[in-house]
Amino acid sequence: MASGDNDHIEIMDSSVLKKLDTTHSGSEDDDRDRASIAEKNAPYDPAVGPSGAISKVHKSDRKIGHRRVGEGGEITYKKIQSSQIMGSIQLGIQHAIGGLASKPERDLLMQDFMTVETTNFPSEGSNHTPAHHYSEFKFKTYAPIAFRYFRDLFGIQPDDFLMSMCSAPLRELSNPGASGSIFYLTNDDEFIIKTVQHKEGEFLQKLLPGYYLNLDQNPRTLLPKFFGLYCYQCNSKNVRLVAMNNLLPSSVKLHQKYDLKGSTYKRKASKTERQKSSPTYKDLDFMEHHTEGIFLEADTYSALIKTMQRDCRVLESFKIMDYSLLVGIHNLDEAQREKSEARQRDSQSDDEDYNRKSGLNRTR
């Protein structure tokens, strides 16, 4: 349950209780084990969501923007527990994408960019929405027809989008943005859902016609791929979200990452950033690491520069100047060396296991 108190929110996800066998008379540890097994074997249902526990949020907790981290590590955004937001937006997206199936494909019209559809999700369910264990909420879908067109243009089928978004719990990235935004990652690493401020959401909706024009004229654009714009409303709070492509899938190891602005003023990764396992470097770091730049084939270089120039003109037309180029480097030689080292470690581990077992047999 969730209280509407501004200073304190207490939330309990009752899905754990539903998975327990109440006739079992064993220990609490046994109960937890049984619940864990049931969760792993049962198909994921956004209406139930991942299991959780009671968590309390107080004013003294650490806070970045609207994102707050409690003493026990629980995360809230606008004083709403993050797990509740994740499950609720999955229900909302599932309903929104499913509802588009009844709307025929057609050319985009100007009003499609400004359309907003709102759906109520009462906890007990309704004729159009399922019952769920979260607080009652409203879910707004912005420009659904336009974003369907964009997803189709990017080759994303509705069933695949739904499968990625709603078939498994979302994962929250541990490193939030400087503004305190929360980033949710789909289980298959395909998409990211990011919380945005009211002005950012408004701005994105206003530039959709220009975004459509750019995609039509420059299909090789390097600008972010937007797949949906939503707003989750609960307890008089609005949480705006944008769905985007995940540029850095975990299946491919990036040996270096750079956030480049084309400026050298204060463009060096901080000491704290450098100490991370996978730091994001900046312009001065790039110049230091790659004194001669990065060599590309002539055709690749020409296509890349042309695309970047066209993208910059689009950003200029939107009066956007605070942007950067994200560069990820996967070093093939280093990756091969890492694979060889991993195979050697596995081989040594197998030998040690064999020797250990042989020693046990001789002892017996």
Side-chain angles (χ1 to χ4, degrees):
M1 65 181 175
S3 71
D5 192 293
N6 289 330
D7 296 330
H8 170 258
I9 288 183
E10 180 173 314
I11 300 172
M12 178 175 180
D13 189 337
S14 59
S15 59
V16 176
L17 304 178
K18 287 187 173 291
K19 290 184 173 67
L20 290 176
D21 182 357
T22 55
T23 62
H24 180 58
S25 59
S27 67
E28 290 182 2
D29 288 339
D30 289 337
D31 284 346
R32 282 193 290 269
D33 290 341
R34 291 165 66 89
S36 177
I37 293 170
E39 278 184 28
K40 290 178 181 177
N41 293 335
Y44 176 68
D45 183 356
V48 176
S51 61
I54 296 175
S55 62
K56 296 183 179 181
V57 181
H58 299 282
K59 282 185 175 180
S60 59
D61 297 337
R62 289 177 291 130
K63 187 176 181 183
I64 307 173
H66 291 296
R67 183 180 186 271
R68 190 187 299 244
V69 182
E71 293 177 357
E74 66 276 2
I75 297 172
T76 62
Y77 186 82
K78 293 191 175 182
K79 298 187 178 182
I80 304 172
Q81 195 175 44
S82 183
S83 59
Q84 174 167 308
I85 296 175
M86 285 191 281
S88 299
I89 62 179
Q90 283 184 304
L91 283 176
I93 290 174
Q94 191 175 55
H95 181 272
I97 301 301
L100 284 172
S102 61
K103 299 179 180 179
E105 299 279 347
R106 58 170 174 78
D107 293 335
L108 284 183
L109 304 174
M110 196 62 192
Q111 59 261 34
D112 291 328
F113 298 112
M114 305 310 295
T115 303
V116 182
E117 295 183 355
T118 303
T119 304
N120 292 320
F121 284 82
S123 299
E124 66 276 12
S126 68
N127 293 335
H128 306 289
T129 61
H132 56 85
H133 295 286
Y134 310 112
S135 299
E136 180 174 339
F137 67 94
K138 290 182 179 180
F139 195 78
K140 289 186 176 182
T141 305
Y142 295 86
I145 299 294
F147 279 109
R148 178 178 67 178
Y149 177 88
F150 296 150
R151 290 191 296 270
D152 185 60
L153 200 63
F154 296 132
I156 299 172
Q157 298 302 313
D159 289 346
D160 295 335
F161 188 65
L162 268 180
M163 182 67 70
S164 293
M165 286 288 184
C166 305
S167 65
L170 299 172
R171 289 181 285 139
E172 183 174 338
L173 298 185
S174 58
N175 50 337
S179 63
S181 294
I182 289 184
F183 292 82
Y184 299 124
L185 182 65
T186 57
N187 193 56
D188 59 5
D189 263 5
E190 287 292 324
F191 306 106
I192 283 179
I193 300 175
K194 176 193 174 186
T195 59
V196 295
Q197 300 299 319
H198 174 61
K199 288 184 178 179
E200 292 176 299
E202 266 192 346
F203 184 69
L204 175 57
Q205 190 175 14
K206 286 180 181 178
L207 64 78
L208 285 180
Y211 184 73
Y212 162 73
L213 190 63
N214 179 55
L215 289 178
D216 187 57
Q217 296 178 343
N218 184 20
R220 301 178 72 173
T221 178
L222 295 176
L223 295 179
K225 293 179 171 63
F226 298 113
F227 303 131
L229 179 62
Y230 309 101
C231 181
Y232 162 76
Q233 296 179 317
C234 181
N235 297 339
S236 301
K237 303 290 176 63
N238 293 315
V239 179
R240 294 169 181 83
L241 310 121
V242 60
M244 303 182 293
N245 59 319
N246 179 20
L247 287 172
L248 306 175
S250 58
S251 58
V252 178
K253 180 177 180 179
L254 294 182
H255 297 95
Q256 290 177 320
K257 295 199 307 288
Y258 296 94
D259 181 281
L260 305 178
K261 286 185 178 290
S263 169
T264 56
Y265 180 68
K266 293 186 177 181
R267 295 298 296 164
K268 193 173 184 68
S270 66
K271 184 178 179 180
T272 302
E273 181 67 28
R274 289 169 174 272
Q275 291 174 344
K276 294 180 180 179
S277 58
S278 180
T280 300
Y281 296 105
K282 297 183 179 180
D283 299 71
L284 289 173
D285 305 302
F286 182 87
M287 294 168 66
E288 180 183 330
H289 299 165
H290 305 277
T291 54
E292 297 183 2
I294 295 177
F295 293 94
L296 301 173
E297 293 182 356
D299 291 345
T300 303
Y301 172 82
S302 298
L304 179 62
I305 294 300
K306 185 177 180 180
T307 297
M308 289 172 60
Q309 289 173 340
R310 296 177 75 174
D311 284 342
C312 287
R313 280 197 295 270
V314 171
L315 292 169
E316 184 181 0
S317 72
F318 292 148
K319 294 182 170 55
I320 298 174
M321 62 176 293
D322 185 14
Y323 56 88
S324 56
L325 177 68
L326 180 62
V327 177
I329 298 177
H330 175 70
N331 189 310
L332 293 175
D333 293 334
E334 195 167 337
Q336 188 60 43
R337 185 165 56 253
E338 289 168 351
K339 284 184 179 179
S340 299
E341 291 174 354
R343 281 196 294 266
Q344 289 178 357
R345 286 195 299 270
D346 291 341
S347 178
Q348 290 174 356
S349 178
D350 291 342
D351 290 343
E352 290 173 1
D353 289 342
Y354 175 78
N355 292 334
R356 192 180 302 111
K357 290 177 181 177
S358 298
L360 287 173
N361 290 333
R362 285 196 296 272
T363 302
R364 290 173 184 170

